Amino acid sequence: MTKSEKFDSSFRVLAIVSKAMSHPARITILKYLAEVKTCISGDISKEIPLSRTTVLQHLKELKKVGLIHGEVEGSKVNYCLCQKSIKKYKGLFAEFLGSLDVEVVCKNESNC
Amino acid sequence: MTKSEKFDSSFRVLAIVSKAMSHPARITILKYLAEVKTCISGDISKEIPLSRTTVLQHLKELKKVGLIHGEVEGSKVNYCLCQKSIKKYKGLFAEFLGSLDVEVVCKNESNC
DNA sequence: AAAATATGTCGTAAATTTACGACATATTTT
DNA sequence: AAAATATGTCGTAAATTTACGACATATTTT
């Protein structure tokens, strides 16, 4: 259904990244990773009010778009922010939202 | 289920805006509105490869978070970008993604 | 070795999202 | 007034997302 090769490729990328950030748990995880400034164990269900499996699921979503990456170390997996993609996505969002910042002329001038 | 008062309020806002931008059709609509620099009829299904009702549905999503707003004018509705919220959200994203830009110290230094 | 810890894998229920068609209604056009 | 145009409202199917629990397995600890 959402077989959207119908849409512009760069728009699809933007949509995919947005989707990765479209859940408060995932935003919380990203922020947490930035705050502790280190890699965390995959089991951060103590920090997030969700079960371990659900948190794992969210970590997988973030990993899928490259916002984080995980390194296996013995019996645990350390997840870290991926600075490279974060910078890239920051640029993408700034560019896109910036491109929306234009003077719009409407008949009815009650702009919002 | 996603009764997430569990999460920080500002994180929830970010998630809601991200969700609004998480579909290529909606990104396309926003970009189109910026390009034509005017208000468009609710029926832009000629520009978007989706049916009229589906496009309407997407317009509603964008309206819900305030990225666009529609003005009824006779038998038609003109949708416009809402500069106010676009600027606000641009700031939010820049601030959030900027806050993720920190030096992360991991044991295994293969940062991405 | 046994217990504890950390993950991984499945399956599943409930909620949402996405995409449309069928109608109904209101407004313009001709 | 009739036809055309622009929306609005419903209902629905199929796909996805979200949240968990039950087990299985691998690795550390004790």
Side-chain angles (χ1 to χ4, degrees):
Chain A
M1 188 167 50
T2 312
K3 267 285 169 209
S4 37
E5 275 98 29
K6 303 173 179 175
F7 300 100
D8 187 282
S9 149
S10 72
F11 291 173
R12 275 184 282 156
V13 171
L14 217 42
I16 285 169
V17 182
S18 296
K19 182 179 268 177
M21 296 179 28
S22 73
H23 193 290
R26 293 196 286 270
I27 296 281
T28 306
I29 291 172
L30 289 174
K31 192 74 173 186
Y32 182 68
L33 277 172
E35 271 164 10
V36 296
K37 290 189 179 182
T38 44
C39 296
I40 57 169
S41 145
D43 187 5
I44 48 168
S45 44
K46 295 107 193 174
E47 297 290 333
I48 308 284
L50 291 172
S51 80
R52 184 182 65 84
T53 29
T54 303
V55 170
L56 233 295
Q57 228 170 213
H58 285 307
L59 285 169
K60 262 180 196 158
E61 293 294 314
L62 292 171
K63 211 175 158 185
K64 206 167 60 185
V65 299
L67 278 165
I68 66 173
H69 71 291
E71 287 160 5
V72 179
E73 188 197 324
S75 79
K76 51 172 59 183
V77 177
N78 296 313
Y79 288 95
C80 312
L81 286 180
C82 176
Q83 292 307 327
K84 205 180 292 175
S85 52
I86 284 170
K87 271 170 198 157
K88 187 171 72 184
Y89 294 152
K90 189 167 72 161
L92 271 187
F93 273 103
E95 187 187 19
F96 178 69
L97 290 171
S99 79
L100 298 185
D101 197 346
V102 295
E103 277 292 320
V104 177
V105 185
C106 284
K107 306 180 179 171
N108 186 334
E109 269 310 316
S110 66
N111 260 5
C112 302
Chain B
M1 188 168 49
T2 312
K3 269 285 170 209
S4 39
E5 275 99 27
K6 302 172 180 176
F7 300 99
D8 187 282
S9 149
S10 72
F11 290 173
R12 276 185 282 158
V13 172
L14 217 42
I16 285 168
V17 182
S18 296
K19 183 179 267 177
M21 298 179 27
S22 73
H23 193 290
R26 293 196 287 270
I27 296 282
T28 305
I29 291 171
L30 290 174
K31 191 75 174 186
Y32 182 69
L33 278 171
E35 270 164 9
V36 295
K37 289 188 179 183
T38 45
C39 294
I40 56 166
S41 144
D43 188 4
I44 47 166
S45 44
K46 296 107 192 173
E47 297 290 333
I48 306 283
L50 290 172
S51 80
R52 183 182 65 84
T53 28
T54 303
V55 169
L56 233 295
Q57 228 171 214
H58 285 306
L59 286 168
K60 262 179 196 158
E61 292 294 314
L62 291 171
K63 211 175 158 187
K64 207 168 59 184
V65 299
L67 278 165
I68 66 175
H69 70 292
E71 287 161 4
V72 179
E73 187 197 327
S75 80
K76 50 172 59 183
V77 178
N78 297 313
Y79 288 95
C80 312
L81 285 180
C82 177
Q83 292 306 328
K84 205 180 294 175
S85 51
I86 283 170
K87 271 169 198 159
K88 188 171 70 182
Y89 294 152
K90 189 166 71 160
L92 271 187
F93 274 103
E95 188 187 18
F96 178 69
L97 289 172
S99 80
L100 297 185
D101 197 346
V102 294
E103 278 291 322
V104 176
V105 185
C106 284
K107 306 180 180 171
N108 185 335
E109 269 309 318
S110 64
N111 260 5
C112 299

